Amino acid sequence: MGMVENPEATGAVARIHHAAVAASAISAAWELGALDLLAESGGLDVEEFADRNALDRSATLSLFRALAAVDIVERSGTKVAPGVYFAEAYRTRSFFHWLSRGSAEVFRVLPEILRQENRSGAVVGRDDAAIAFACDEISAVSYDPWFWRVVARLDFIPAGVADLGCGSGQRVVEMLRRYPNARGIGIDVATSALAMARTRAAAAGVDHRVAFRAGDVTRLETGAATFRGVELLTCFMMGHDLWPRPRCVEVLSGFRSVFPDVRRFILGDATRTVGVADRDLPIFALAFELAHDAMGAFIPTIEDWQAVFAEAGWSVRTTQEIRIAANEVIFELEPR
Ligand SMILES: C[S@@+](CC[C@H](N)C(=O)[O-])C[C@H]1O[C@@H](n2cnc3c(N)ncnc32)[C@H](O)[C@@H]1O
């Protein structure tokens, strides 16, 4: 079949290309402080902004052109103001950052890692520090209001809290602020994320009550004194790393012996979308599922999760189906 000429496609496809560039521009503008400044002040001068932040003037102007090309800002010369899509792009900035900064390498090597011959054993180098940075904000948009509602309803005050895959440490630090007599543990494999977590704990004045440990949460030692007294366990945006199913059952049931005093386990994660048309996928689902499929990481559905808990020794107390950006869900579990 020959290619059909469609004059409208030229402009539409150019906009797709501009949007791909804008994804990087959104994450850079956020990290450089431009999005916050625009949100707070309603406008900026590109040259002043570049000079104040020691940025190259012409490259900074190009960055704002990329944002203007897709109506995220309006630009007149060097003057920039929020455009029609600014508020929504500002709200969802962390998903762009996750895509074009933290996970950029996955998309760069896509043709290589899809090949059968390259599927076993190769680990794609994502940027752990950038992912931790974005996840703070992803958490604020996609999980925190629901998470804190579950915490507010707890019928006990935990003596100890532990966050598995703690990233930048925001959850464990906030829990320690909420519970001034509690001790906390944050565990993550990414040492760059743990460095952020330690800085954050010190800034919040809770560093004397928290220990951040480098390690794989699927290999925690049973019987360690450090884990005694942990009554509230949390794990956000990394539960999918525990799959496939047999491993997930083993690890979840292992948590019961590693944390013998645990009373509640709050687990929140994005899950695989089911039955949604490709065009109707929520903002983050497409990138999240494609990146993980490409990396060979299993992403469970909500039903997949529900089918492992009992076998792993946990009962589900409550389920919050959030479904904002990537079929997010929070399970509140207790030992059976
Ligand atoms: C998407 S981030 C989420 C960070 C944090 N939970 C939050 O809510 O902001 C996932 C984190 O889990 C960590 N992680 C993934 N697999 C892990 C494992 N097996 N053991 C420890 N940390 C792990 C990653 O290094 C990363 O920091």
Side-chain angles (χ1 to χ4, degrees):
M1 200 168 80
M3 292 257 221
V4 179
E5 286 285 330
N6 175 357
E8 274 175 30
T10 310
V13 172
R15 288 193 64 74
I16 293 170
H17 200 275
H18 292 169
V21 178
S24 296
I26 293 169
S27 60
W30 176 31
E31 209 175 308
L32 293 170
L35 295 189
D36 292 333
L37 183 60
L38 281 170
E40 283 154 22
S41 67
L44 59 78
D45 178 80
V46 175
E47 291 183 347
E48 265 174 41
F49 177 79
D51 292 351
R52 208 171 333 115
N53 293 285
L55 306 174
D56 180 83
R57 276 188 175 190
S58 57
T60 307
L61 187 62
S62 275
L63 180 82
F64 283 104
R65 278 179 70 202
L67 296 176
V70 293
D71 299 318
I72 289 169
V73 299
E74 284 174 5
R75 186 177 73 86
S76 171
T78 62
K79 302 288 179 212
V80 169
V84 283
Y85 297 137
F86 181 81
E88 183 60 9
Y90 187 58
R91 193 179 71 78
T92 55
R93 58 198 183 273
S94 53
F95 302 122
F96 291 94
H97 194 279
W98 183 97
L99 172 70
S100 63
R101 189 97 154 104
S103 305
E105 184 63 6
V106 181
F107 292 92
R108 193 185 72 77
V109 297
L110 213 45
E112 292 155 44
I113 57 179
L114 259 57
R115 289 185 201 286
Q116 293 278 9
E117 67 198 49
N118 294 335
R119 299 253 341 140
S120 62
V123 176
V124 182
R126 293 203 289 166
D127 182 332
D128 294 331
I131 287 181
F133 176 87
C135 280
D136 268 15
E137 185 58 33
I138 292 180
S139 188
V141 174
S142 291
Y143 297 97
D144 289 0
W146 295 268
F147 168 67
W148 290 109
R149 254 176 256 150
V150 176
V151 171
R153 284 198 310 263
L154 290 179
D155 49 356
F156 63 96
I157 294 180
V161 300
D163 190 33
L164 307 173
C166 65
S168 69
Q170 45 91 8
R171 196 169 314 278
V172 73
V173 166
E174 289 309 316
M175 287 195 288
L176 291 180
R177 278 220 257 236
R178 182 181 179 98
Y179 300 119
N181 297 317
R183 301 197 69 78
I185 303 170
I187 306 164
D188 204 291
V189 275
T191 48
S192 54
L194 291 175
M196 290 167 76
R198 290 192 184 99
T199 306
R200 182 185 285 252
V206 300
D207 44 333
H208 57 295
R209 294 192 282 129
V210 67
F212 287 106
R213 290 173 48 129
D216 180 342
V217 303
T218 66
R219 294 160 181 263
L220 298 175
E221 62 279 17
T222 300
T226 353
F227 300 134
R228 293 216 164 267
V230 170
E231 294 181 315
L232 176 59
L233 193 60
T234 57
C235 179
F236 275 74
M237 291 184 269
M238 72 138 286
H240 55 277
D241 290 310
L242 310 178
W243 286 72
R245 190 178 197 284
R247 179 166 179 260
C248 183
V249 171
E250 189 187 327
V251 173
L252 288 186
S253 89
F255 289 158
R256 292 210 35 192
S257 6
V258 172
F259 301 98
D261 302 318
V262 68
R263 297 177 66 178
R264 216 56 58 80
F265 178 19
I266 307 177
L267 173 68
D269 206 2
T271 61
R272 185 175 293 279
T273 42
V274 181
V276 182
D278 296 345
R279 295 183 69 111
D280 298 334
L281 287 165
I283 180 166
F284 189 40
L286 187 60
F288 179 75
E289 291 179 28
L290 171 55
H292 285 88
D293 288 342
M295 291 187 290
F298 184 86
I299 298 296
T301 62
I302 290 182
E303 291 69 28
D304 288 331
W305 273 115
Q306 285 164 333
V308 294
F309 295 132
E311 200 177 323
W314 298 91
S315 309
V316 180
R317 266 180 85 97
T318 63
T319 304
Q320 300 284 318
E321 293 195 21
I322 300 166
R323 297 184 194 270
I324 283 196
N327 238 17
E328 305 90 333
V329 61
I330 294 179
F331 297 108
E332 181 192 6
L333 309 170
E334 62 186 346
R336 277 160 76 87

